[in-house]
Amino acid sequence: AVKSKEFMNNLKDKSLAELNDELVAAKKELFNLRFQNATNQLDNTSRINEVRKNIARIQTIITEKAKAVE
C-alpha cells in the first residue's frame, strides 16, 4: 500500500503530457507482459495486475487534472 501511495503522489506532481507518456509506457509494458505470459516466458504473473492497476491510477490522475482545468 505504501508503494501505491508513493506512486500516486509522484503522479500528482507530473504534468498532463508526462502522465500521458507514463500511460503509454504502462500500456506497452502490459502488452509485453501479456505476450510473455502467452508464450510461457513470464515468471512473475502478479506484475500484470500491478501494471493494470497502475494504468488505472494514471488514468484517474489524468481525469482529476482535466477536471481541475475546467
Side-chain angles (χ1 to χ4, degrees):
V2 176
K3 265 192 197 164
S4 65
K5 278 220 170 82
E6 281 176 31
F7 187 75
M8 290 299 273
N9 289 335
N10 286 344
L11 289 179
K12 284 182 177 154
D13 296 337
K14 296 188 177 200
S15 69
L16 272 175
E18 287 174 314
L19 287 169
N20 281 322
D21 289 346
E22 286 272 329
L23 190 58
V24 169
K27 285 186 172 176
K28 271 188 191 152
E29 185 180 352
L30 183 60
F31 175 82
N32 289 331
L33 287 169
R34 284 195 181 135
F35 193 79
Q36 286 174 338
N37 197 25
T39 54
N40 291 323
Q41 292 172 329
L42 190 62
D43 303 323
N44 180 9
T45 51
S46 65
R47 185 73 184 129
I48 292 179
N49 284 336
E50 210 179 306
V51 174
R52 284 181 55 219
K53 286 192 173 122
N54 285 349
I55 290 173
R57 289 182 183 117
I58 296 167
Q59 286 172 329
T60 302
I61 304 279
I62 289 175
T63 308
E64 281 175 10
K65 282 190 183 277
K67 281 187 179 153
V69 170
E70 281 175 14

